[in-house]
């Protein structure tokens, strides 16, 4: 136990960041756009889905491209070559190409948004775009260039390059016989073979990049959690800033308690009777049939506070009666401002009747 306590004190004194980030720290970091994400996941998914989209829409795209490029030979040979006609022709072909590629563009946008949404949820902030002067610091720039993160990025890029190279070499080596026979094949067969080979390599590369992207996301999450850690002193400072200094809060509560006691003491002269223990408890009761359904406790106290209630009652000629069981029951079961419990009505009524008789009231 002493060693653990000493270790905690050393961590607090040294400011070592060993604690997980608080929800408030995470929320502030998210507002600044600092979240755990990997840009490799969207890019790999976009590559994979683009290849799949081309496979599904390949025949249709081929037919439309042939129609677009043959249009000029079938219908535009007799066109007058003027500036207006040429601009109109290019605009027409540009619109046709955009319409042709629109499904791929839409799919790419959906994949990109979905990949980021799965990683970080909905987040829209301009905070990362704000200019920061510290980014112009040569020292900080040198740290970014020669830091651990730069080394990791270099290793990650090298791993991707090596992996892609191995896949390309493996696929080409497996088809070396077919490659040597391409010189004896028609042009259409050559294009078909090259297309299928390119698609196969693209799928393998995209799948491998996606696997590497998952590993990169796990690393980015680990690095994010590491940078987000807080020291014990940081947590204490955050608690003080959000909840207020405990010393100040204690002083405020003490002042509120004193003010409540002062208000309670001001109600003692208005009481009809003070029921005492006689020394340990004192409970002040008041009953007004026009405003109250039952007698109400307007003040109560124990020991020193009970003594103060008796002194104030004596100074203002409030009748005091000794009834140990009733005083203890009222003190334990009621709060200031509450009515007397139903099972104590009879005892309280007898006390008030006696008090009214002493005062000459019926």
């Amino acid at each position: 136990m002493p060693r653990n306590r000493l270790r905690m004190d050393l961590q607090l004194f040294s400011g070592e960041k060993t604690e997980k980030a608080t929800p408030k720290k995470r929320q502030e970091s998210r507002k600044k756009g600092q979240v755990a994400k990997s840009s490799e996941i969207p890019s790999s998914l976009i590559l994979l889905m683009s290849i799949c989209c081309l496979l599904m829409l390949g025949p249709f795209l081929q037919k439309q491209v042939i129609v677009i490029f043959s249009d000029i030979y079938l219908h535009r040979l007799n066109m007058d070559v003027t500036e207006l006609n040429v601009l109109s022709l290019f605009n027409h072909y540009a619109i046709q190409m955009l319409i042709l590629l629109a499904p791929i563009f839409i799919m790419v946008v959906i994949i990109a948004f979905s990949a980021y949404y799965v990683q970080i949820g909905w987040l829209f902030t301009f905070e990362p775009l704000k200019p920061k002067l510290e980014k112009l610091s040569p020292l900080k720039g040198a740290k970014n260039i020669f830091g651990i993160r730069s080394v990791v990025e270099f290793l990650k890029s090298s791993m991707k390059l090596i992996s892609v190279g191995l896949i390309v070499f493996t696929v080409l080596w497996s088809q070396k016989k077919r490659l040597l026979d391409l010189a004896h094949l028609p042009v259409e067969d050559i294009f078909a073979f090259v297309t299928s080979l390119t698609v196969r390599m693209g799928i393998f590369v995209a799948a491998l990049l996606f696997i590497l992207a998952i590993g990169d996301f796990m690393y980015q999450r680990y690095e994010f959690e590491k940078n987000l850690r807080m020291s014990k002193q940081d947590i204490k400072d955050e608690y003080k800033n959000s909840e207020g200094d405990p010393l100040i809060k204690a002083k405020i509560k003490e002042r509120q308690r004193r003010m409540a006691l002062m208000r309670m003491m001001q109600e003692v002269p208005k009481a009809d009777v003070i029921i005492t223990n006689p020394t340990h408890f004192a409970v002040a009761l008041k009953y007004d049939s026009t405003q109250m359904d039952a007698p109400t406790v307007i003040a109560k106290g124990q020991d020193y506070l009970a003594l103060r209630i008796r002194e104030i009652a004596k100074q203002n000629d409030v009748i005091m009666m000794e009834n140990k069981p009733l005083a203890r029951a009222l003190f334990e079961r009621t709060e200031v401002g509450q009515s007397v419990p139903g099972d104590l009505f009879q005892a309280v009524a007898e006390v008030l009747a006696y008090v009214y008789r002493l005062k000459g009231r019926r």
Side-chain angles (χ1 to χ4, degrees), residues 146-194:
F146 300 103
I148 298 178
R149 190 174 185 86
S150 300
V151 175
V152 173
E153 292 295 327
F154 173 75
L155 293 176
K156 184 175 66 175
S157 302
S158 302
M159 185 179 298
K160 289 196 298 183
L161 184 61
I162 295 173
S163 302
V164 171
L166 286 175
I167 288 178
V168 172
F169 174 78
T170 303
V171 173
L172 292 178
W173 187 258
S174 64
Q175 300 293 327
K176 60 181 180 178
K177 293 183 179 180
R178 292 287 303 276
L179 289 172
L180 295 175
D181 296 335
L182 289 180
H184 308 287
L185 296 177
V187 176
E188 293 182 358
D189 293 343
I190 294 175
F191 275 110
F193 173 73
V194 171

Side-chain angles (χ1 to χ4, degrees), residues 248-275:
I248 297 178
K249 290 178 65 177
K251 290 181 180 179
I252 293 175
K253 289 183 178 180
E254 179 65 20
R255 181 170 295 182
Q256 291 174 346
R257 189 180 67 84
R258 290 182 180 178
M259 293 176 64
L261 289 176
M262 290 176 61
R263 288 194 298 268
M264 187 181 70
M265 291 303 179
Q266 293 173 358
E267 295 293 323
V268 173
K270 303 176 184 178
D272 291 324
V273 63
I274 306 296
I275 302 178

Side-chain angles (χ1 to χ4, degrees), residues 275 283 285 294-295 297 323 325-334 339-352:
I275 302 178
V283 180
L285 296 177
V297 176
N323 190 327
L326 182 58
R328 179 179 291 272
L330 290 173
F331 182 84
E332 293 178 351
R333 297 175 56 185
T334 59
S339 299
V340 173
D343 56 339
L344 299 179
F345 278 176
Q346 181 66 30
V348 173
E350 294 176 357
V351 172
L352 290 177

Side-chain angles (χ1 to χ4, degrees), residues 244-313:
D245 194 330
L247 297 177
I248 297 178
K249 290 178 65 177
K251 290 181 180 179
I252 293 175
K253 289 183 178 180
E254 179 65 20
R255 181 170 295 182
Q256 291 174 346
R257 189 180 67 84
R258 290 182 180 178
M259 293 176 64
L261 289 176
M262 290 176 61
R263 288 194 298 268
M264 187 181 70
M265 291 303 179
Q266 293 173 358
E267 295 293 323
V268 173
K270 303 176 184 178
D272 291 324
V273 63
I274 306 296
I275 302 178
T276 63
N277 193 27
T279 57
H280 295 292
F281 301 102
V283 180
L285 296 177
K286 179 178 177 60
Y287 179 62
D288 186 347
S289 59
T290 61
Q291 299 179 358
M292 304 175 183
D293 296 331
T296 303
V297 176
I298 61 174
K300 71 173 188 175
Q302 184 178 6
D303 298 331
Y304 175 76
L305 195 56
L307 177 62
R308 289 289 299 146
I309 292 174
R310 292 197 302 270
E311 291 177 352
I312 296 174

Side-chain angles (χ1 to χ4, degrees), residues 1-16 232-233 236:
M1 287 298 291
R3 290 185 178 180
N4 294 336
R5 181 65 180 177
L6 179 59
R7 188 180 298 109
M8 293 176 62
D9 292 340
L10 289 174
Q11 291 177 354
L12 180 62
F13 178 76
S14 62
E16 185 179 354
K232 296 182 182 296
Q233 186 62 39
K236 290 180 64 178

